[in-house]
Every structure is written in C-alpha cells, then in structure tokens.
Amino acid sequence: MSHTQQFIDLYGVLSDRAGWFGPEPSTRAVQALTLVLADRLDLIDALPQAQQDLRGHLKWFSNLRGTLGQSLIALALVKGVVPKALPARVNQIYPQFKQHRIPTIGLWPTAAAAWLALEPAAASEGAIPRMSAILTEWKKDHPWITGHDDLHAAALHALGDHSPVDVRTLVEDRMVALEDVVFSWAPNNRQRVAQLAALRPTVEAADLAQRYNALSEHLQSLGSRVSLLEREAMVLLASANGDPATLARAYQSTRAQLSAMGGSTWLPKNIQGVVAVGLVAADNGQDSLDAIAGSTLAAIIIALQTAVIVASSSAAAAS
C-alpha cells in the first residue's frame, strides 16, 4: 500500500475517533503522517491515552497545550518517550537554553526544546551548546532575519555531526543558490528552505537549485497553485530521487487524493500540500527512511509546526 493510501486510511481512523472534542484536523494530519513515515501504524491505538496523559501533566498556560504539543505525541511514542513526561523534560531544557543565551519565551523555543526533549538526555545536553554556536554562525551571514523561527532548524542541525561552521556553509551555499529560483523577495523564508535542504547535504546546492526550478516550472505547467508554506516544503521534492516532471505529477496526484478524502474540508489546503510533499518525498527517498533522524520526517513536521505557530501567533495578534 502506498504512503498516500496509508495516510488517508489513518487520518480517517483518527477523524472518526476525534468526535467534537478530539484533536483538530491539523493535529491529526501531523500524527498520521508521523506514524506513516515512521512505519509505526501499530501505535495508533496508543494515541488516545497518550493525548490524555499529556493534557493531564500540562500547566494551564503551557505552550504545549493544543496543536503544538499534540502534534508531537506520535513522534514521542515512536521514539519511546512517555508523552506525560514531555512537559518536565522540556522544562529541564529551558535553563540550559538560558545558559547558552538561547531564547525561551514563545512557541518557537518550545518547539525546539520539545524536539530536544525527545532525545536522550546526553544527546540533548550536547546539542544545546552546538545549537547556540550554529545560531551565532547563521547570524554572521544574516543578522536581521535569524531569530526565534530558526530555533527548531538549529536544534535539528545541532543533533547532527557537522560542525557549526560547516552547517553555516551548507545553509549559506543553498540560500545563495536558491535566490534566483525561489523567494528572492522573501529572504526569511528562503533561509528556512536552505536550512531544511542542508539536512540532506548529499544534494549539492547548484543541483538543488536546478531541480527546484524545474519542479516549479512543471508544477506551473500542470496548473498547480502552490502556497508559500508548500514552496518551503517543496525543497524536499527537489532533493528526492526522480525526474522533476515525474515528481510534479506525483505531487499533483497526491494533493488531489488528499483533497478528496473524508474530512479534508476541515484540513487547510496548505497543510494538505505539505503532507503531499512529505508522502511523495518518502516514496522517492534515495535511502531507507530513518523515522527518528530522517530529514524527510523532521523537515515535514517542522513545516507543519511552522504553519501551526504562524497561525497561532496571527490569531493572538488579532485578538
């Protein structure tokens, strides 16, 4: 069964169970996609209790309330972390953030801390000073646009093996290469795209830009209207195996299937697009998907969490 059909089936099960008071569609999409890409469909029955356990251990004003925290439950189960322990683990990371001058207030720091909280203590403790150093390196190139929304990408790179200086070079090479083909008018978005692309450094920057440009042209010729958020995630397709024309058709087909599935009315179109990117990228990965550290799963959930955080911030500003 294809990744797409697995997702549709699993999303349907989660929607049937959600009722009026269950997780919202975007949360269900993240949970379903996580289990599908991780090949852990067996964990679906553990989700309801895990959600209750997390809610029961959150303070009233915790940033982990709502979609942000709920979106991480499936990944916690995949990684063997008891969801109810997540708040305490996040709170243990905040003092270390402060020690290394990493922001701790807001949804972006919470998202980054939660990523690290899903790692063994030794790994997260070693990553935090590296995370601070990576942010410092990024600020050397782009001091005005490097900020809170770069924290989650910095955390992922900090868990990797490249030195902070090398991470800076990987990201900047891709940011320069992509300037003429995407986001020339939106450097902050382009930086996030470059950060996600650098998680798969085996694809050279120049080749990435060429493939991204070809992919964009094919999507345009097919009449696909791609949102800003989808264009960020689309870098994963440019990094995947296969001809850009074939990948574009697969994306359009998958997007159509997601739009037609039950419950899709309530799932934002840009979220459907990001999910489609993840499913097609997983189908065309050049190596076996590592569900825990794989760049596809990590980057897709980052893209989805970005949508959640931006939407939450916009709602708060409007209220």
Side-chain angles (χ1 to χ4, degrees):
M1 185 184 299
S2 69
H3 285 105
T4 298
Q5 191 58 54
Q6 288 181 23
F7 174 85
I8 290 172
D9 292 346
L10 189 54
Y11 181 82
V13 171
L14 295 179
S15 296
D16 290 341
R17 292 179 178 179
W20 288 104
F21 304 105
E24 65 181 13
S26 296
T27 300
R28 300 197 295 268
V30 179
Q31 293 177 347
L33 187 67
T34 300
L35 296 185
V36 167
L37 295 185
D39 194 24
R40 291 302 308 271
L41 304 186
D42 58 297
L43 291 172
I44 185 173
D45 290 332
L47 282 174
Q49 186 60 52
Q51 290 167 170
Q52 290 184 26
D53 290 345
L54 177 62
R55 282 196 297 266
H57 287 76
L58 290 174
K59 294 182 179 179
W60 184 253
F61 294 106
S62 172
N63 285 330
L64 288 174
R65 281 196 175 276
T67 299
L68 182 58
Q70 293 289 318
S71 69
L72 289 168
I73 287 178
L75 189 59
L77 292 175
V78 166
K79 301 188 77 164
V81 174
V82 179
K84 66 181 180 182
L86 186 59
R89 292 172 74 132
V90 169
N91 288 335
Q92 290 172 355
I93 286 174
Y94 282 144
Q96 300 174 61
F97 272 16
K98 291 181 179 178
Q99 179 183 351
H100 293 279
R101 298 183 178 180
I102 298 172
T104 58
I105 298 175
L107 293 172
W108 297 107
T110 300
W115 270 110
L116 295 178
L118 295 177
E119 298 293 327
S124 63
E125 289 175 5
I128 290 171
R130 281 175 44 80
M131 182 180 169
S132 178
I134 288 169
L135 288 167
T136 297
E137 291 296 324
W138 286 344
K139 287 178 181 178
K140 290 178 181 178
D141 291 316
H142 304 285
W144 300 111
I145 62 173
T146 301
H148 283 47
D149 59 337
D150 299 296
L151 294 177
H152 51 358
L156 281 171
H157 281 289
L159 291 167
D161 298 326
H162 292 285
S163 71
V165 173
D166 287 342
V167 170
R168 173 191 177 186
T169 300
L170 287 169
V171 171
E172 185 62 14
D173 285 350
R174 283 149 185 78
M175 190 164 181
V176 171
L178 290 168
E179 183 172 6
D180 292 333
V181 297
V182 63
F183 302 128
S184 59
W185 45 271
N188 196 41
N189 298 86
R190 179 156 41 93
Q191 180 167 261
R192 182 154 52 233
V193 170
Q195 291 164 349
L196 299 185
L199 291 170
R200 188 168 289 177
T202 54
V203 180
E204 296 293 333
D207 187 35
L208 174 73
Q210 183 178 15
R211 289 178 58 79
Y212 194 109
N213 187 49
L215 183 63
S216 297
E217 290 179 348
H218 286 300
L219 286 172
Q220 187 175 6
S221 69
L222 292 170
S224 289
R225 300 183 63 181
V226 182
S227 70
L228 185 64
L229 178 64
E230 291 166 79
R231 290 185 68 82
E232 289 188 17
M234 202 69 68
V235 72
L236 293 174
L237 288 190
S239 303
N241 278 351
D243 175 66
T246 302
L247 292 172
R249 288 193 295 271
Y251 166 81
Q252 187 182 51
S253 174
T254 300
R255 180 79 184 273
Q257 292 178 67
L258 297 182
S259 295
M261 71 180 181
S264 63
T265 303
W266 305 105
L267 187 61
K269 295 294 185 181
N270 59 359
I271 298 295
Q272 292 181 34
V274 173
V275 170
V277 168
L279 295 171
V280 175
D283 283 337
N284 293 274
Q286 63 184 33
D287 46 28
S288 59
L289 177 66
D290 179 344
I292 307 303
S295 59
T296 296
L297 178 57
I300 284 297
I301 294 180
I302 277 183
L304 290 168
Q305 284 188 337
T306 297
V308 168
I309 291 172
V310 169
S312 299
S313 300
S314 298
S319 61

